[in-house]
Each structure stands twice: as C-alpha cells, then as structure tokens.
Amino acid sequence: MSAKHVETVVESGTERFIPLNKLKKSAKNARKTPHSEASIEAYAASIAAKGILQNLVVEPELDTDGAATGFYFVTIGEGRRLAQLLRVKRKEIKKTDPIRCIIDTANDPHEISLDENVTRENMHPADQFEAFKKLAEERGFGAEEIAARFGVTPHVVRQRLRLGAVSPKLMQIYRDGDLALDQLMAFAIIEDHARQEAAYERLSYNRDASTIRRMLTETNVAATDRRAIFVGAEAYTEVGGTILRDLFTEDRGGYFEDVALLDMLVVAKLGREANALMDAEGWKWAQVFLDFPHSHGLRRTYPQAVDLSAEDQAALDAARGEFNSLTEQHESAEELPDEVDARFGELEAEIERLEAKRQAYDPADIARCGAFVILNHDGTVRIERGFVRAEDEKPEPETLNGSVEGEGDHTINEDGGTVPNDAPVGESLDGEDEDADDHRPLSDILIRDLTAHRTLGLRLALSEQPEVAIVAVTHALSAQIFYRGADAHVLDIRPVGTMLASHADGIEDTKAGKAWADLWSARSSRVQSK
C-alpha cells in the first residue's frame, strides 16, 4: 500500500501527453446530463482552429489488485474528449493522437468535477457580442469563418455581430440590467446609433420588444405591404432599393427602406398595366391610383348580359363536363393526386374565364368611357371600368317643344303647353289658374290644402298596397344612389351614406372592402340594366 501511495504522490499534478484512445469517461464525473451535439460541435471547431486550450484532468485506471492499467479516466474535460473522438470519426486526427493532460490523484474526482462546473461565471453576453465584432473588424473574419472557428452557425454569428453593433450607450444600459436581451435585439434591427438612442428616449412605460421594433421601422414598408408585394423584392433591389432584415424574429421578408422609390415603382408598374388595358380592351382612358378615388364624381356604365358564341359555349360545356366527371371519380378520395388537383385548378380558371364573357360592355361605351387601375389590398391589380367623364356624356334627346328632356323638369300638357313637374294642381307654367276666367293664381292657403290632401291620399294608397310601397321606396333610394343628379323619384326619402375611407385609411383595400365593392358593382349593374 505504501509503495502505491508513493507512486500516486509522485504522479499527481504532473503533465503528460496521453493517446486519445487511452482516455475513458469517468463514472465519478458530476455532470450526468450528456453534452449536447451542439456543444461537442463547438468544442471540435474550436480545437481544430486553436488546439486544446485547457488541459484535461485525469486519474489512472487501476485494476482489482490496484495496479495501473495504462488507461485514464477523464475527471475534467469530457466534452473535449468527445470532440476529439468526433474529429477522429471525421478523419481529421488519429485515435492515437496525444492529448495533454494533468494527472490528479490528490483530490476527490467527483468534487473537482463539480468545482469545474460550479465555481465559474459565464461571460456577459454583451462582452461576447463585442468580442465577435472585434474579430470581424480587426482580423477581417467573415461570419462563415467565425462560425467555423467556434462551432456555431453563420446565422448565429450574424446575430452576435449585429448585437455587437448596437449603440454603446444602449449596450451599457443592457449591462446594467435596465434592458432585457429581447429589447436589445429589437434595437439591433437598425444600425443607426442616433435612431436607436432616440427611440430609447421616446419609450414610455411600454418597453416591450414589439413596440421598439415598430418605432424603428415606422418609416419603412414591410415586405408584406401590398406595395412591396406588387413590385417584388428583386425589382426593388435591382434599382438600388435596400431591405432591412430582422435577424432575431421572423420578419417575413424584411422592411423596404426607400419608400419614395417603392412608391415610384408602384405607380410606374400600374401605369404599364393601364396602358396594356387600353391597348387590349380599347378604353378611352385609364387612370392610376393607389386607392380607389371615391370622390371621382363620374357616372358609371355597366356591362350588359350577352350570349356566348357557339365556340365559347361548346368550350364551357366541355370544361364543365370534365370538371363534373373528375369530381365524380375522386369524390371519395381523402387527398387528390397532384396532377388531378392541378387539372381542377385549370378547369376552374377556364370556366371562370368563359363565364366572364356573358357580360360585355357596349363598344360605344368603351370608346367614350375609361377605367381606374388600382392597387388591391393583396398586392394585385384591381380594375374598375365604365366611368364617363362629363365631357364625354351623350347629349340628351330633345322633347317635342325643343327643350332637352329632363333638363327643365317640365311636362307637356293636353293643350301642348308645359307645366313644371312640381307645380300645384291646376297651375300652368306662368302660375295662372286654368279654370278661372280671371286667370288669377291659386292662393297659398289653397295650394297647401290641396297638397296636404294629395299627400294624405298617397299615404293611404301606399298603406293599403304594401307591395307598391316597397317598390316606391326602393325606386326612390335607388334613383338617388345609382343615378347621380337624378330627381326621378316621387317620395321624399333620402339615403344617408358614410364614406368609410374618410374614417379609416385603406379600409377599401381590405378583404371586406373589396367584397363590398364587388357587391356594389354587381347591384349597380342590375339596377341600371332595368
């Protein structure tokens, strides 16, 4: 026992290079949870780039008689041992490569293993971020090279480099504990220190990361915005546009920084769509707008129902037949084959195209009317057709007495004279009493009395005929809504409409707004076709 004790005392604390295949995992290691694959990868990358910077601590393996076997248990450094084994597997080193170790037989292996993992303090994240930034700036390492040297992904390196570039003032606030990591990540979405600090000064009680990101991107356009979708990131960047990316959250394409350039590209592309529309359909004019111009003040014409040509009808029947046949064949299938699903899409598009031909504008209307080309809520083009400018309105046909019909609101009486539509009973154009020999006008009292009786009679008649009342009310409202400037109604009923676009910007470009516009257009077409 004494001889063995002397041998242990002599060897303890000495440094020795031991072949890798002579090192074993120690059962006395305090760490029971296995090292993660990521940590072993990181160790392997670091060792490949810089070697083993910290010696392994080992104790000799003894057999049952107390004799050394030539193997050693790793008390401290199991992660490095596993990393070297990984490098052997990758054929970067041999399994007999020597590993620098310190022999320790004086201390309890379990205790020093625990000490190794407990009595240490991790580097503050801010120090790590700035250290990565220093590697990039002073040694010229790119994200990929740094990632390879530390066993992390390039994306992680880019995140740390971006955090390292945050304003030193905010970094110190983070070190002091007055900013959380997710808040620091939010500030890192931009690299302008002045804007970062200004945003920090503007923060009130609400300091969550989403608020910070919103403040720093309020002058940009999200890639999910309809303008960005319409133009596309590639077309935008090709002409010098820049896109701001958030490395820490799912930014769904980032933020377009040059809003003026983006708007210019939107208008230019809409202009090309407008020119193509006029060339293809023959409209007299086409105007471009980002939002529908509700205050246009123009009368609108609508397409009329037309019969399909024999060729189109045959094509429609064939498409419907194939669609119905496919539906019957696959009605019990839980999931359609890709080619069948694609064919369904083609047939639906063809049926929709042919059905659209059932409505057509009068060629004369196309020649004098125009269309608005608008950017839809989902980044697609929306076209509203059939608007007539005042100078393109058709002259109204003349009445028998040479006046324009409806212009003066006159009616031709039985004697060929004219009487205003709103004149009281028995009164001619010049206000004379036709039944009186002295041609004196009716008194105001009598006119009011007669008018009241007529109104009462109308009320009674309508109350006894509710179906007529509904028609009269519908006519009065429709005439005022769908015929601008029309005064063709007999009931004094006035619709009150609220222009929602004046209360909520962009509301007409929402899904609900587009659905309402389509419904309005369809009803307008039906009303004006009657």
Side-chain angles (χ1 to χ4, degrees):
M1 290 290 295
S2 61
K4 293 176 182 176
H5 178 70
V6 171
E7 180 181 349
T8 300
V9 172
V10 171
E11 291 189 354
S12 183
T14 60
E15 181 180 298
R16 177 174 295 183
F17 283 90
I18 302 172
L20 176 60
N21 60 354
K22 295 294 184 181
L23 298 177
K24 293 182 177 182
K25 179 180 179 179
S26 173
K28 300 175 183 178
N29 195 309
R31 182 191 289 271
K32 301 304 181 185
T33 303
H35 289 78
S36 67
E37 292 185 7
S39 68
I40 295 173
E41 285 279 359
Y43 276 130
S46 175
I47 293 170
K50 300 172 282 288
I52 296 180
L53 302 178
Q54 185 178 359
N55 295 338
L56 279 68
V57 178
V58 299
E59 66 165 335
E61 180 188 49
L62 304 177
D63 61 17
T64 56
D65 296 328
T69 64
F71 288 88
Y72 294 83
F73 290 117
V74 177
T75 305
I76 296 174
E78 175 64 12
R80 280 157 277 169
R81 185 185 75 89
L82 293 174
Q84 288 294 70
L85 290 176
L86 177 61
R87 296 184 66 210
V88 170
K89 185 176 179 180
R90 293 173 175 174
K91 301 188 183 304
E92 295 178 9
I93 61 174
K94 296 179 180 179
K95 63 181 180 180
T96 55
D97 271 18
I99 307 297
R100 188 171 54 188
C101 302
I102 298 294
I103 308 296
D104 190 327
T105 56
N107 296 300
D108 175 60
H110 180 268
E111 182 179 348
I112 62 173
S113 172
L114 178 63
D115 200 314
E116 166 75 6
N117 289 282
V118 172
T119 56
R120 64 178 180 178
E121 184 176 359
N122 289 329
M123 176 185 288
H124 192 284
D127 298 332
Q128 182 186 140
F129 305 150
E130 291 180 343
F132 270 77
K133 180 172 176 284
K134 185 175 182 179
L135 281 178
E137 292 178 348
E138 296 185 2
R139 302 188 62 182
F141 290 162
E144 286 72 15
E145 186 171 358
I146 295 175
R149 296 176 70 87
F150 287 89
V152 294
T153 65
H155 181 68
V156 168
V157 174
R158 293 188 187 96
Q159 288 180 324
R160 293 172 181 174
L161 291 176
R162 181 68 69 85
L163 287 167
V166 169
S167 159
K169 176 181 177 181
L170 298 182
M171 190 66 77
Q172 187 57 50
I173 295 173
Y174 170 57
R175 278 193 174 94
D176 295 340
D178 293 327
L179 271 182
L181 180 58
D182 65 330
Q183 293 171 315
L184 190 72
M185 290 175 175
F187 280 110
I189 193 172
I190 64 171
E191 299 181 5
D192 187 328
H193 289 180
R195 285 182 59 192
Q196 291 173 350
E197 293 171 8
Y200 177 77
E201 296 298 329
R202 288 170 54 196
L203 287 176
S204 58
Y205 67 91
N206 186 3
R207 295 191 170 199
D208 61 85
S210 61
T211 299
I212 297 170
R213 286 190 182 89
R214 187 165 56 251
M215 291 172 62
L216 293 172
T217 59
E218 59 189 0
T219 59
N220 305 130
V221 174
T224 53
D225 185 274
R226 56 183 176 141
R227 292 169 290 173
I229 294 172
F230 181 58
V231 171
E234 184 176 351
Y236 169 76
T237 54
E238 280 181 357
V239 293
T242 55
I243 298 178
L244 183 67
R245 299 305 305 262
D246 189 344
L247 298 180
F248 304 97
T249 63
E250 175 55 53
D251 63 9
R252 295 180 293 177
Y255 302 86
F256 288 48
E257 294 190 279
D258 195 334
V259 182
L261 174 62
L262 179 61
D263 285 342
M264 182 184 71
L265 294 174
V266 169
V267 172
K269 188 172 181 180
L270 286 175
R272 293 192 294 272
E273 294 283 351
N275 292 334
L277 176 69
M278 289 190 292
D279 293 341
E281 300 183 15
W283 296 99
K284 183 176 181 179
W285 54 268
Q287 278 189 294
V288 168
F289 291 93
L290 288 181
D291 302 299
F292 185 81
H294 292 281
S295 59
H296 55 75
L298 305 181
R299 186 173 66 84
R300 187 174 190 178
T301 62
Y302 292 90
Q304 305 299 317
V306 296
D307 294 330
L308 292 178
S309 66
E311 181 182 355
D312 286 338
Q313 186 63 55
L316 179 59
D317 293 340
R320 283 176 172 168
E322 184 180 352
F323 186 92
N324 293 335
S325 176
L326 283 176
T327 302
E328 293 176 359
Q329 293 175 29
H330 299 278
E331 62 182 351
S332 60
E334 294 184 1
E335 186 174 353
L336 294 175
D338 291 342
E339 63 276 8
V340 174
D341 189 48
R343 184 55 183 163
F344 267 119
E346 294 171 359
L347 290 172
E348 288 173 350
E350 178 67 3
I351 292 171
E352 184 178 350
R353 183 186 70 83
L354 293 170
E355 285 286 1
K357 290 188 174 184
R358 293 187 183 277
Q359 296 283 324
Y361 285 91
D362 188 316
D365 285 338
I366 293 177
R368 68 191 180 97
C369 296
F372 295 128
V373 180
I374 307 151
L375 183 59
N376 210 1
H377 68 280
D378 57 357
T380 57
V381 176
R382 171 184 166 194
I383 298 175
E384 299 290 342
R385 301 170 174 83
F387 295 93
V388 190
R389 288 172 172 167
E391 60 268 25
D392 296 324
E393 290 281 5
K394 291 180 180 178
E396 297 291 342
E398 296 184 352
T399 60
L400 293 176
N401 65 344
S403 65
V404 178
E405 181 181 356
E407 185 175 293
D409 290 333
H410 293 79
T411 301
I412 302 175
N413 61 23
E414 296 177 355
D415 299 327
T418 59
V419 180
N421 287 339
D422 58 353
V425 177
E427 187 174 359
S428 64
L429 180 61
D430 56 6
E432 296 179 348
D433 185 350
E434 296 178 351
D435 296 329
D437 293 337
D438 55 3
H439 302 290
R440 289 180 299 176
L442 297 175
S443 67
D444 290 341
I445 295 176
L446 179 58
I447 291 173
R448 287 197 301 270
D449 185 65
L450 292 173
T451 301
H453 281 278
R454 183 178 64 177
T455 301
L456 180 60
L458 285 172
R459 287 179 179 176
L460 183 61
L462 288 176
S463 67
E464 294 173 347
Q465 303 178 71
E467 68 282 357
V468 177
I470 291 175
V471 172
V473 170
T474 303
H475 177 269
L477 294 175
S478 299
Q480 295 175 77
I481 293 174
F482 297 110
Y483 296 89
R484 292 184 179 275
D487 194 23
H489 50 91
V490 296
L491 299 179
D492 188 16
I493 298 175
R494 302 184 186 279
V496 177
T498 300
M499 195 67 67
L500 297 179
S502 63
H503 294 272
D505 292 339
I507 190 173
E508 67 274 14
D509 292 311
T510 62
K511 290 183 179 180
K514 181 62 170 62
W516 173 250
D518 293 341
L519 182 62
W520 176 281
S521 177
R523 289 182 176 174
S524 298
S525 179
R526 288 198 297 270
V527 168
Q528 298 205 17
S529 64
K530 294 180 179 179

PDB file of all heavy atoms in Angstrom, residues 354-372:
ATOM      1  N   LEU A 354     -64.617  31.862 -69.241  1.00  0.00           N
ATOM      2  CA  LEU A 354     -65.713  31.804 -70.206  1.00  0.00           C
ATOM      3  C   LEU A 354     -66.994  32.408 -69.631  1.00  0.00           C
ATOM      4  O   LEU A 354     -67.749  33.073 -70.347  1.00  0.00           O
ATOM      5  CB  LEU A 354     -65.949  30.355 -70.621  1.00  0.00           C
ATOM      6  CG  LEU A 354     -64.811  29.720 -71.440  1.00  0.00           C
ATOM      7  CD1 LEU A 354     -65.016  28.223 -71.585  1.00  0.00           C
ATOM      8  CD2 LEU A 354     -64.708  30.378 -72.809  1.00  0.00           C
ATOM      9  N   GLU A 355     -67.247  32.200 -68.338  1.00  0.00           N
ATOM     10  CA  GLU A 355     -68.428  32.786 -67.717  1.00  0.00           C
ATOM     11  C   GLU A 355     -68.368  34.312 -67.755  1.00  0.00           C
ATOM     12  O   GLU A 355     -69.391  34.994 -67.867  1.00  0.00           O
ATOM     13  CB  GLU A 355     -68.564  32.308 -66.270  1.00  0.00           C
ATOM     14  CG  GLU A 355     -69.046  30.870 -66.110  1.00  0.00           C
ATOM     15  CD  GLU A 355     -70.523  30.720 -66.408  1.00  0.00           C
ATOM     16  OE1 GLU A 355     -71.186  31.722 -66.769  1.00  0.00           O
ATOM     17  OE2 GLU A 355     -71.040  29.595 -66.288  1.00  0.00           O
ATOM     18  N   ALA A 356     -67.145  34.846 -67.625  1.00  0.00           N
ATOM     19  CA  ALA A 356     -66.984  36.304 -67.648  1.00  0.00           C
ATOM     20  C   ALA A 356     -67.420  36.899 -68.977  1.00  0.00           C
ATOM     21  O   ALA A 356     -67.794  38.077 -69.057  1.00  0.00           O
ATOM     22  CB  ALA A 356     -65.539  36.670 -67.351  1.00  0.00           C
ATOM     23  N   LYS A 357     -67.403  36.104 -70.044  1.00  0.00           N
ATOM     24  CA  LYS A 357     -67.803  36.597 -71.364  1.00  0.00           C
ATOM     25  C   LYS A 357     -69.312  36.791 -71.486  1.00  0.00           C
ATOM     26  O   LYS A 357     -69.783  37.332 -72.485  1.00  0.00           O
ATOM     27  CB  LYS A 357     -67.322  35.635 -72.449  1.00  0.00           C
ATOM     28  CG  LYS A 357     -65.817  35.630 -72.650  1.00  0.00           C
ATOM     29  CD  LYS A 357     -65.429  34.816 -73.871  1.00  0.00           C
ATOM     30  CE  LYS A 357     -63.947  34.927 -74.177  1.00  0.00           C
ATOM     31  NZ  LYS A 357     -63.581  34.215 -75.425  1.00  0.00           N
ATOM     32  N   ARG A 358     -70.071  36.354 -70.486  1.00  0.00           N
ATOM     33  CA  ARG A 358     -71.518  36.554 -70.523  1.00  0.00           C
ATOM     34  C   ARG A 358     -71.891  38.006 -70.246  1.00  0.00           C
ATOM     35  O   ARG A 358     -73.040  38.399 -70.428  1.00  0.00           O
ATOM     36  CB  ARG A 358     -72.200  35.657 -69.498  1.00  0.00           C
ATOM     37  CG  ARG A 358     -72.098  34.167 -69.799  1.00  0.00           C
ATOM     38  CD  ARG A 358     -72.944  33.371 -68.821  1.00  0.00           C
ATOM     39  NE  ARG A 358     -72.825  31.948 -69.018  1.00  0.00           N
ATOM     40  CZ  ARG A 358     -73.512  31.250 -69.927  1.00  0.00           C
ATOM     41  NH1 ARG A 358     -74.361  31.867 -70.740  1.00  0.00           N
ATOM     42  NH2 ARG A 358     -73.353  29.935 -70.029  1.00  0.00           N
ATOM     43  N   GLN A 359     -70.937  38.774 -69.754  1.00  0.00           N
ATOM     44  CA  GLN A 359     -71.146  40.195 -69.515  1.00  0.00           C
ATOM     45  C   GLN A 359     -70.193  40.979 -70.410  1.00  0.00           C
ATOM     46  O   GLN A 359     -68.999  40.703 -70.432  1.00  0.00           O
ATOM     47  CB  GLN A 359     -70.886  40.543 -68.050  1.00  0.00           C
ATOM     48  CG  GLN A 359     -71.830  39.891 -67.060  1.00  0.00           C
ATOM     49  CD  GLN A 359     -73.193  40.559 -67.024  1.00  0.00           C
ATOM     50  OE1 GLN A 359     -73.288  41.783 -67.160  1.00  0.00           O
ATOM     51  NE2 GLN A 359     -74.241  39.775 -66.858  1.00  0.00           N
ATOM     52  N   ALA A 360     -70.705  41.952 -71.136  1.00  0.00           N
ATOM     53  CA  ALA A 360     -69.858  42.727 -72.052  1.00  0.00           C
ATOM     54  C   ALA A 360     -70.333  44.172 -72.102  1.00  0.00           C
ATOM     55  O   ALA A 360     -71.535  44.456 -71.985  1.00  0.00           O
ATOM     56  CB  ALA A 360     -69.881  42.118 -73.453  1.00  0.00           C
ATOM     57  N   TYR A 361     -69.376  45.085 -72.239  1.00  0.00           N
ATOM     58  CA  TYR A 361     -69.699  46.497 -72.384  1.00  0.00           C
ATOM     59  C   TYR A 361     -70.074  46.803 -73.827  1.00  0.00           C
ATOM     60  O   TYR A 361     -69.554  46.183 -74.768  1.00  0.00           O
ATOM     61  CB  TYR A 361     -68.501  47.362 -71.983  1.00  0.00           C
ATOM     62  CG  TYR A 361     -68.279  47.453 -70.495  1.00  0.00           C
ATOM     63  CD1 TYR A 361     -67.457  46.552 -69.839  1.00  0.00           C
ATOM     64  CD2 TYR A 361     -68.901  48.455 -69.745  1.00  0.00           C
ATOM     65  CE1 TYR A 361     -67.246  46.640 -68.467  1.00  0.00           C
ATOM     66  CE2 TYR A 361     -68.689  48.547 -68.376  1.00  0.00           C
ATOM     67  CZ  TYR A 361     -67.865  47.635 -67.748  1.00  0.00           C
ATOM     68  OH  TYR A 361     -67.666  47.721 -66.387  1.00  0.00           O
ATOM     69  N   ASP A 362     -70.948  47.764 -73.978  1.00  0.00           N
ATOM     70  CA  ASP A 362     -71.289  48.259 -75.310  1.00  0.00           C
ATOM     71  C   ASP A 362     -70.036  48.891 -75.915  1.00  0.00           C
ATOM     72  O   ASP A 362     -69.359  49.690 -75.254  1.00  0.00           O
ATOM     73  CB  ASP A 362     -72.403  49.297 -75.185  1.00  0.00           C
ATOM     74  CG  ASP A 362     -72.941  49.720 -76.540  1.00  0.00           C
ATOM     75  OD1 ASP A 362     -72.132  49.960 -77.460  1.00  0.00           O
ATOM     76  OD2 ASP A 362     -74.176  49.823 -76.678  1.00  0.00           O
ATOM     77  N   PRO A 363     -69.684  48.554 -77.160  1.00  0.00           N
ATOM     78  CA  PRO A 363     -68.486  49.158 -77.788  1.00  0.00           C
ATOM     79  C   PRO A 363     -68.513  50.679 -77.760  1.00  0.00           C
ATOM     80  O   PRO A 363     -67.459  51.321 -77.641  1.00  0.00           O
ATOM     81  CB  PRO A 363     -68.537  48.611 -79.210  1.00  0.00           C
ATOM     82  CG  PRO A 363     -69.268  47.306 -79.088  1.00  0.00           C
ATOM     83  CD  PRO A 363     -70.302  47.542 -78.028  1.00  0.00           C
ATOM     84  N   ALA A 364     -69.727  51.276 -77.870  1.00  0.00           N
ATOM     85  CA  ALA A 364     -69.820  52.738 -77.829  1.00  0.00           C
ATOM     86  C   ALA A 364     -69.425  53.258 -76.452  1.00  0.00           C
ATOM     87  O   ALA A 364     -68.784  54.317 -76.329  1.00  0.00           O
ATOM     88  CB  ALA A 364     -71.234  53.178 -78.180  1.00  0.00           C
ATOM     89  N   ASP A 365     -69.797  52.514 -75.403  1.00  0.00           N
ATOM     90  CA  ASP A 365     -69.407  52.920 -74.051  1.00  0.00           C
ATOM     91  C   ASP A 365     -67.898  52.790 -73.857  1.00  0.00           C
ATOM     92  O   ASP A 365     -67.265  53.643 -73.232  1.00  0.00           O
ATOM     93  CB  ASP A 365     -70.132  52.056 -73.023  1.00  0.00           C
ATOM     94  CG  ASP A 365     -71.598  52.442 -72.878  1.00  0.00           C
ATOM     95  OD1 ASP A 365     -71.942  53.583 -73.227  1.00  0.00           O
ATOM     96  OD2 ASP A 365     -72.385  51.592 -72.424  1.00  0.00           O
ATOM     97  N   ILE A 366     -67.321  51.721 -74.378  1.00  0.00           N
ATOM     98  CA  ILE A 366     -65.874  51.540 -74.261  1.00  0.00           C
ATOM     99  C   ILE A 366     -65.133  52.689 -74.926  1.00  0.00           C
ATOM    100  O   ILE A 366     -64.117  53.187 -74.419  1.00  0.00           O
ATOM    101  CB  ILE A 366     -65.448  50.194 -74.869  1.00  0.00           C
ATOM    102  CG1 ILE A 366     -66.010  49.040 -74.041  1.00  0.00           C
ATOM    103  CG2 ILE A 366     -63.925  50.086 -74.956  1.00  0.00           C
ATOM    104  CD1 ILE A 366     -65.700  47.673 -74.597  1.00  0.00           C
ATOM    105  N   ALA A 367     -65.663  53.140 -76.057  1.00  0.00           N
ATOM    106  CA  ALA A 367     -64.989  54.199 -76.819  1.00  0.00           C
ATOM    107  C   ALA A 367     -65.013  55.543 -76.110  1.00  0.00           C
ATOM    108  O   ALA A 367     -64.136  56.388 -76.350  1.00  0.00           O
ATOM    109  CB  ALA A 367     -65.634  54.325 -78.201  1.00  0.00           C
ATOM    110  N   ARG A 368     -66.002  55.778 -75.227  1.00  0.00           N
ATOM    111  CA  ARG A 368     -66.089  57.092 -74.570  1.00  0.00           C
ATOM    112  C   ARG A 368     -65.844  57.029 -73.058  1.00  0.00           C
ATOM    113  O   ARG A 368     -65.794  58.059 -72.397  1.00  0.00           O
ATOM    114  CB  ARG A 368     -67.452  57.724 -74.835  1.00  0.00           C
ATOM    115  CG  ARG A 368     -68.616  57.006 -74.163  1.00  0.00           C
ATOM    116  CD  ARG A 368     -69.952  57.520 -74.689  1.00  0.00           C
ATOM    117  NE  ARG A 368     -71.075  56.836 -74.061  1.00  0.00           N
ATOM    118  CZ  ARG A 368     -71.748  57.320 -73.029  1.00  0.00           C
ATOM    119  NH1 ARG A 368     -71.409  58.485 -72.506  1.00  0.00           N
ATOM    120  NH2 ARG A 368     -72.759  56.643 -72.511  1.00  0.00           N
ATOM    121  N   CYS A 369     -65.703  55.823 -72.541  1.00  0.00           N
ATOM    122  CA  CYS A 369     -65.509  55.670 -71.085  1.00  0.00           C
ATOM    123  C   CYS A 369     -64.073  55.265 -70.759  1.00  0.00           C
ATOM    124  O   CYS A 369     -63.269  54.994 -71.648  1.00  0.00           O
ATOM    125  CB  CYS A 369     -66.479  54.620 -70.543  1.00  0.00           C
ATOM    126  SG  CYS A 369     -68.215  55.066 -70.712  1.00  0.00           S
ATOM    127  N   GLY A 370     -63.818  55.230 -69.478  1.00  0.00           N
ATOM    128  CA  GLY A 370     -62.478  54.854 -69.033  1.00  0.00           C
ATOM    129  C   GLY A 370     -62.515  53.950 -67.822  1.00  0.00           C
ATOM    130  O   GLY A 370     -63.563  53.477 -67.402  1.00  0.00           O
ATOM    131  N   ALA A 371     -61.340  53.724 -67.241  1.00  0.00           N
ATOM    132  CA  ALA A 371     -61.220  52.796 -66.123  1.00  0.00           C
ATOM    133  C   ALA A 371     -60.204  53.324 -65.116  1.00  0.00           C
ATOM    134  O   ALA A 371     -59.300  54.091 -65.459  1.00  0.00           O
ATOM    135  CB  ALA A 371     -60.803  51.417 -66.625  1.00  0.00           C
ATOM    136  N   PHE A 372     -60.380  52.902 -63.873  1.00  0.00           N
ATOM    137  CA  PHE A 372     -59.407  53.185 -62.824  1.00  0.00           C
ATOM    138  C   PHE A 372     -58.586  51.917 -62.588  1.00  0.00           C
ATOM    139  O   PHE A 372     -59.144  50.833 -62.404  1.00  0.00           O
ATOM    140  CB  PHE A 372     -60.099  53.581 -61.526  1.00  0.00           C
ATOM    141  CG  PHE A 372     -60.868  54.882 -61.617  1.00  0.00           C
ATOM    142  CD1 PHE A 372     -62.198  54.948 -61.222  1.00  0.00           C
ATOM    143  CD2 PHE A 372     -60.258  56.030 -62.091  1.00  0.00           C
ATOM    144  CE1 PHE A 372     -62.903  56.132 -61.297  1.00  0.00           C
ATOM    145  CE2 PHE A 372     -60.950  57.227 -62.181  1.00  0.00           C
ATOM    146  CZ  PHE A 372     -62.283  57.278 -61.781  1.00  0.00           C
TER     147      PHE A 372
END
